[in-house]
Amino acid sequence: MDAELSAGTSQAWAALSADPALLERVSYGGPSDGLPARLPGMELARATVAVCALAAAELTAVRTGRQVPRVRVDDGAVAAAFLSDRLVRVDGRAWTTFAPLSRFWRAADGWVRTHANYPHHRSRLLAALGLPDDAGADAVGEVIAGRRAVDVEDTVYAAGGLAVAARGAEEWAAHEQGALVAGQPLLTLEAIGEGGPTRAWSRISGTPLLPCAGLRVLDLTRVLAGPVATRTLALLGADVLRIDAPHLPESQEAHNDTGMGKRSTTLDLGDSRDHRAFEDLLGGADVVVTGYRPGALDRFGLSPDALAERRPGLVVAQLSAWGRYGPWHERRGFDSLVQVATGIAALEGSDGEPGALPAQALDHGTGYLLAAAVLRAVTLQHGQDGGGTRLARLALTQTAHWLVHGLTKTPERERGFDPERRLTETDSPMGRLRHALPPVWYEGAPANWARPPGLWGTDAPRWA
């Protein structure tokens, strides 16, 4: 194993409390110029996919009683997967990933980035700035230009919108939230309750072909990081049912990218009938993945402690933007905003203007880490300790801190990245779908998802 290439993989694998000897099963190759950046974005991408593939290989060995399969990480496939949201097409039509009001704005003393892809976020942004709902970019720019960046941030967040002042890495380190992030591990994975191991194995007869065969996953995530994780679990054989609130519709274009292999339904957990349907699903679930703000789902009995009490032996995986601690723990957030707050945008910028990573690498990387944590949790349930409710927690800011302070940029080994070589096409309910192939590969791994995404929110709320 190339020590220089595997340094990030070793760090992430250690965060998962996994056997370091298994790292010898990983090898690397392919063009490494697919995600050019000042920061070690390619190293983050490579490492997160590597540990996800290795965790899948490890679980395969647990289920088959055989040796852990060898893992191969192809940098070209990794880069294409990290760009998947930009490469997806339906009948040749591309998805516009950012709305007109989701961008950088020059403030009186610096820069602000807003996020207004969803209609309710757009309305809250405009209301916070004192603008009518039909206001355009010129009006927004004029208002922001007359205010301090932090004032815009505070005003918009107080109104339930999303805006973050651009900070340098040192400024973020001195910020209360940034200082707390620096003291956190990359991720946490712990036992929080009693209970037998997952019942998934009993649903499959014979030798399982895929490590997650029989595993039932409730997917309560949105946008990118969480859906990337559950998309990966679906690739590996899990029955993944995504659940959204009917009053928070998701973009079909986003679902075209992240809905691979899954089914999708809507339930209003505040409605008694829908809540009963959810409880029935929970009774048969092995994994629950949530990506909402910390505490947002607790009132529905979805806190880790409540889940551990009601469903012993469950794997619970929680994702947040800013972490479950500090003054920002209840704030909404997205990859683009975390890049701005943590100094990544400043480090990737030039000529006094902020920049961005070539992909939403915090989202994608955290997604693969989240999938790896779930796989490791299931493996641990079937280890010597056995059973137990397991809890994994990750945050985009913790991944960002790792990128800025924990990883080292490596020289390009091989040039010639061509995303077209890592894409495929398939028929879908929306039309002819072009999408990136999965980057997670080990001996015996599936080459593609078993099914394309469907129409968002149209599946029945039941297990397959």
Side-chain angles (χ1 to χ4, degrees):
M1 183 175 63
D2 190 316
E4 187 178 46
L5 296 181
S6 65
T9 305
S10 299
Q11 294 172 23
W13 193 238
L16 291 163
S17 302
D19 182 359
L22 293 182
L23 291 167
E24 296 300 323
R25 309 297 291 171
V26 184
S27 61
Y28 304 87
S32 58
D33 60 338
L35 298 172
R38 294 191 178 95
L39 287 166
M42 189 66 236
E43 287 69 18
L44 180 147
R46 178 190 302 123
T48 55
V49 170
V51 296
C52 185
L54 187 55
E58 180 190 32
L59 182 54
T60 298
V62 168
R63 297 198 66 175
T64 61
R66 300 172 183 170
Q67 185 181 33
V68 175
R70 292 193 174 276
V71 170
R72 178 71 172 174
V73 181
D74 179 89
D75 280 358
V78 170
F82 269 60
L83 295 166
S84 66
D85 48 307
R86 305 180 186 188
L87 296 174
V88 67
R89 301 286 187 275
V90 175
D91 293 333
R93 299 188 304 275
W95 169 34
T96 302
T97 54
F98 287 103
L101 299 188
S102 297
R103 48 168 279 192
F104 286 107
W105 309 88
R106 190 184 290 275
D109 60 346
W111 293 86
V112 172
R113 179 140 194 174
T114 56
H115 195 287
N117 284 4
Y118 290 108
H120 58 292
H121 290 157
R122 182 183 186 279
S123 295
R124 292 170 185 172
L125 169 66
L126 293 173
L129 298 177
L131 295 170
D133 205 50
D134 60 351
D138 289 344
V140 172
E142 184 176 350
V143 172
I144 292 178
R147 301 186 184 181
R148 295 173 62 245
V150 172
D151 291 341
V152 174
E153 174 183 278
D154 291 341
T155 300
V156 173
Y157 263 109
L162 295 110
V164 172
R167 293 170 171 85
E170 292 183 358
E171 188 179 359
W172 175 246
H175 188 278
E176 182 179 355
Q177 189 70 31
L180 289 171
V181 169
Q184 297 293 319
L186 176 59
L187 58 88
T188 59
L189 178 59
E190 60 181 329
I192 61 168
E194 302 298 326
T198 174
R199 295 172 291 184
W201 292 191
S202 65
R203 303 190 186 107
I204 299 294
S205 60
T207 302
L209 297 177
L210 296 173
C212 293
L215 205 69
R216 291 173 172 171
V217 179
L218 283 179
D219 176 5
L220 283 74
T221 68
R222 292 174 64 79
V223 191
L224 201 48
V228 164
T230 52
R231 178 182 71 182
T232 304
L233 298 176
L235 169 76
L236 299 171
D239 178 10
V240 179
L241 180 61
R242 174 166 166 169
I243 299 177
D244 286 274
H247 63 281
L248 291 176
E250 180 60 285
S251 157
Q252 179 63 48
E253 287 77 12
H255 192 62
N256 293 343
D257 173 43
T258 60
M260 302 295 301
K262 309 179 197 178
R263 292 175 300 115
S264 166
T265 192
T266 60
L267 290 173
D268 180 358
L269 298 186
D271 175 84
S272 59
R273 182 176 177 180
D274 280 5
H275 193 80
R276 285 194 299 271
F278 177 82
E279 289 295 322
D280 289 342
L281 290 167
L282 179 62
D286 304 294
V287 180
V288 174
V289 184
T290 66
Y292 290 77
R293 287 177 300 140
L297 299 177
D298 289 3
R299 67 186 187 277
F300 301 117
L302 294 176
S303 70
D305 289 343
L307 287 170
E309 181 178 348
R310 289 153 60 213
R311 182 68 173 81
L314 197 66
V315 173
V316 182
Q318 293 187 322
L319 166 73
S320 63
W322 308 106
R324 304 183 66 85
Y325 44 81
W328 285 21
H329 76 279
E330 291 186 341
R331 287 192 173 190
R332 298 171 177 85
F334 295 95
D335 179 308
S336 59
L337 302 181
V338 174
Q339 287 192 41
V340 169
T342 59
I344 292 173
L347 292 168
E348 292 293 335
S350 60
D351 298 326
E353 296 189 8
L357 295 168
Q360 295 190 70
L362 303 180
D363 265 338
H364 286 274
T366 307
Y368 288 109
L369 287 174
L370 182 59
V374 170
L375 295 166
R376 284 286 300 140
V378 175
T379 294
L380 289 168
Q381 286 183 328
H382 291 266
Q384 292 182 348
D385 296 337
T389 306
R390 306 277 168 163
L391 171 63
R393 279 178 168 162
L394 299 90
L396 298 185
T397 47
Q398 290 163 204
T399 304
H401 183 80
W402 183 46
L403 171 65
V404 176
H405 300 285
L407 292 171
T408 302
K409 193 172 178 65
T410 59
E412 291 178 2
R413 307 180 320 284
E414 178 185 338
R415 299 184 64 84
F417 171 64
D418 179 6
E420 295 295 329
R421 293 179 54 199
R422 276 78 179 185
L423 303 178
T424 191
E425 291 190 357
T426 186
D427 290 323
S428 76
M430 293 74 63
R432 189 67 175 169
L433 178 69
R434 186 189 81 163
H435 64 90
L437 288 163
V440 173
W441 189 91
Y442 56 91
E443 293 172 334
N448 203 348
W449 286 271
R451 55 180 288 169
L455 295 172
W456 174 85
T458 59
D459 292 294
R462 60 173 178 261
W463 294 116

